[in-house]
């Protein structure tokens, strides 16, 4: 199984666009056996996706071509044995769990973050959701 984390710059971010992205992701991810979580705010999408490697690669290729995402940057791509978000086709969070401020993100904190730091942001979201 593959786990991938990427960041992108939202283009035209608003609640309606986010609802559309989440609805489409949940429908397609169930079909493709993909799970994950999206942390979002006006300046950032930070997403973890996990599932069969071919499905993850195909999804990331679609994200790269999606005009709702600008400046897409792959932060982590790794083989894993267990899903972090196995119960969620796509969990969403409007960033209260995120560790990095907008200034940190603009200064490159996500690109400099270790794999453990990136996963920690999603682990925190997962714990908060389970509580």
């Amino acid at each position: 199984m593959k786990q991938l984390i990427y960041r992108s710059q939202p283009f035209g971010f608003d609640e309606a666009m986010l609802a559309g992205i989440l609805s489409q992701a949940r429908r397609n991810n169930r079909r493709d056996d993909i799970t994950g979580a999206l942390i979002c705010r006006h300046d950032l999408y930070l997403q973890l996706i996990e599932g069969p490697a071919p499905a993850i690669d195909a999804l990331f290729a679609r994200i790269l071509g999606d005009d709702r995402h600008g400046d897409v940057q792959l932060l982590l791509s790794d083989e894993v044995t267990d899903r972090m978000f196995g119960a969620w086709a796509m969990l969403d969070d409007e960033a209260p769990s995120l560790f990095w401020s907008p200034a940190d993100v603009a200064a490159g904190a996500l690109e400099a973050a270790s794999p453990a730091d990136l996963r920690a942001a999603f682990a925190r979201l997962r714990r908060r959701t389970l509580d």
Side-chain angles (χ1 to χ4, degrees):
M1 181 170 3
K2 188 172 194 173
Q3 186 180 74
L4 184 146
I5 298 175
Y6 75 90
R7 66 157 300 210
S8 67
Q9 175 72 39
F11 181 78
F13 178 81
D14 63 21
E15 293 301 318
M17 176 179 283
L18 179 58
I21 288 172
L22 291 169
S23 175
Q24 180 181 15
R26 290 173 177 140
R27 181 180 58 252
N28 293 342
N29 289 355
R30 279 186 199 93
R31 178 196 68 209
D32 297 335
D33 192 27
I34 293 171
T35 57
L38 173 65
I39 297 173
C40 52
R41 62 184 190 207
H42 73 282
D43 66 324
L44 174 71
Y45 290 139
L46 181 65
Q47 187 170 36
L48 179 149
I49 52 176
E50 54 198 2
I56 293 298
D57 293 341
L59 173 55
F60 190 60
R62 287 191 304 272
I63 290 166
L64 288 170
D66 188 331
D67 63 3
R68 298 173 294 186
H69 297 269
D71 190 27
V72 178
Q73 296 181 27
L74 179 62
L75 301 174
L76 178 140
S77 179
D78 207 358
E79 294 297 317
V80 296
T81 56
D82 297 313
R83 293 177 189 255
M84 187 178 287
F85 292 97
W88 293 281
M90 187 51 56
L91 179 66
D92 69 291
D93 180 55
E94 292 189 25
S97 63
L98 191 61
F99 301 150
W100 302 278
S101 71
D104 292 338
V105 170
L110 293 175
E111 293 77 11
S114 71
D117 290 338
L118 292 168
R119 285 187 175 112
F122 288 98
R124 184 173 170 188
L125 170 61
R126 184 176 182 273
R127 281 191 307 273
R128 196 185 81 218
T129 303
L130 294 174
D131 290 343

